[in-house]
Amino acid sequence: MTLRLFNTLTGQLDEIVPSDGKALRMYACGPTVYDYGHIGNFRTFLQVDVLRRYLKLTGMRMLHVMNITDVDDKIIRNASAAGVPIGDYTPRYVDAFFEDLDSLRVERPEQVARATEHIAQMVSLIQKLAEAGAAYKTDDGSWYFRLKAFPEYGKLSKKDLSGMEDGARVDVDEYEKDSARDFALWKAAKPGETAWDTPIGRGRPGWHIECSAMAMEYLGESFDLHAGGEDLMFPHHENEIAQSETVTHKPLARHWMHVRFLLVDGRKMSKSEGNFYTLRDLLLKGYKASAIRLALISVPYRHQLNFTFDGLTEATNAIDRLRTFHQRVTKGSFPAGSNPALQAAAGKARTEYMAALANDLNTAEARAPIFDLIRTANTAIDQGQFLAGDRDAILAVLADFDAVFDVLEDRDDEPTRRALAWAEQSGRMAEVAPELLARQSLTDEAIDALVAERTLAKRQRNFARADQIRNELAEKGIVLEDAKDGVRWKRK
Ligand code: AMP
Ligand code: ZN
C-alpha cells in the first residue's frame, strides 16, 4: 500500500514513490557526535527506521544516506576542554552511537557519510555559491551565505522573513529560531582549532553546508525525501535548501519529514531539569532495549510523545504479551484443520495494520489490530478452536508486524550486558539499578542448572527444595513457566 506521509514543504499528505522508479533516495540528518545520544535523538532515528522498514515491507528499495557531524562548535568546545584534537575526541561517540542503534535495532542506512571526509565537496559547493554571487568572504577569512540571494528562503518553515536584515550575520551553528541572517558556510581557522587548508582558505565548514554537499554527493541534485527532528526545520533545513537550490535551481528534496520532539513527564527534556536520559541511562535502570524501542515508536512521529516510566512499563507488558503469544502459537500442538473465523480475523488484522501505517505511519493505530488478533486467537486456543492450519496465517501477520516493530524475538540480554560493561569501564556502576545487578549476576548456564535441579527435586518429591529454587530465581527476576514439554524460563 502506498504510503501517504505529511510533507512539511507542501503542508499535506503526499504519496511516497521513488522518482526514478527504482529506489527511494532519502537523506536523514544524523547525530552530532559530541556526547552519548539521548532518547529524543533516538526517537527521531527510530521513526526514520519505522519509515524505511514500512517502505521495505511494501517492497520498496531504499538508498538512505545519513551524515555524521564530526566537526562543529560543540565538538570543538568539548574536544578542547578534554585537551585532544577532534579526531581523537569523536570516535568514542561514533562507536557509542552505532552500538546504541544496534541495541534499539535501528537498521543501518545504506550509506553513512562523515563530515570530515567530505571537506572537498563542501569547498566546491561554496565556490559555486561564490560564483553565483551568493557567498562572500569576510575580512577574517570566513565565508557566508547571502540570504538575499535566495528569495525563496523560508519556504519550508513558512516563516515570514520579509523583515530580515541584509548583511546581518551569524557564525554559530545553531541560532535564534526567529531571526534569519547570513549564515556561516566556512569558518576561518582560529588558533588551536582543527582546520583544513583549501582553495577558499584555511578553516573548517559550518554545520549546514555538510548536509547539502553530502546529500548531493550520494543522492544527486534532487532526491525523494529528507528527514530530521522538528528542530532542524529552521534554520538547518532551510539553509540546506538555500545552499543547494541556489546552485542547482532544482528542489533539493521533494518531500520533507519532521519528527516531533518528545517531552519527559510533560516537560522539555533537559539536564538542568533532571529529566534527561540517554539510552544507556535507561538500560542501567533495568529497562529492556525492546521496551524502549516500542515506547519510542508507539506514538506516531507527528504526535508529541510524552515519555514516562509508566509508558516504559506498558511497553514491557505489551512485549511480554506478544512474546508469550508467539511462543504459544509456535510451540503448541493444535488439532488438524483450519478455522475460517480465525483466517478471516488474521486477514482483517493485516489489512488494518498496513492501512494504519500507510496513513502517515500511524504506529499507534497499527498496533491495535495486532493486539486484537492476539486476544481473539488466545480465546480460540483456550476453547480448542485454534487449528493447525491457522498457525501460519497468524504467524504471517506477526511477521509483518515485526518487520516494522521488531520486538518479538528476545534479544534484550546483549544490550543490557553491553551497557553494564560500559558502566564498569567508565566508572558508572553506582548508576546501575540493584535489581538489574542481581538479575544479571546469573548466567544462562547457571539458570539452566538450577532449573534442572528443581525438576529433579520435584521428581524426587522434594517440594521444599523445588520451591526454594523457584523463589531464589524469582528474586533475581527469573520467571519459570511449567509447560507440558518442560520448564521454560525468562528474565523479567
Ligand atoms: P543532534 O545529535 O543534536 O544533531 O540530533 C540528532 C537528531 O535528533 C536530530 O534529527 C534532532 O532533530 C533530533 N532530536 C534532538 N533532540 C530531540 C528531542 N528532544 N526529540 C526528538 N528528536 C530530537
Ligand atoms: Zn543535516
Side-chain angles (χ1 to χ4, degrees), residues 29-32 38 40-41 44-45 228-232 260-262 269:
C29 290
T32 307
H38 57 67
N41 300 138
T44 293
F45 295 118
E230 65 174 343
D231 60 320
L232 301 186
R260 190 116 184 244
F261 260 35
L262 63 67
M269 181 169 73

Side-chain angles (χ1 to χ4, degrees), residues 27 29-30 67 207 211 226 232 236-237 240:
Y27 186 91
C29 290
N67 66 301
W207 170 34
C211 285
H226 195 311
L232 301 186
H236 182 55
H237 289 162
E240 278 189 45

Side-chain angles (χ1 to χ4, degrees), residues 21 38 43 104 126 153-154 175 177 197 214 262 270 296 317-318 326 329 340:
H38 57 67
R43 162 140 165 96
L104 291 169
I126 295 170
Y153 195 78
Y175 56 90
K177 303 289 178 209
D197 284 308
M214 294 193 288
L262 63 67
S270 86
L296 290 176
N317 296 339
H326 186 244
V329 173

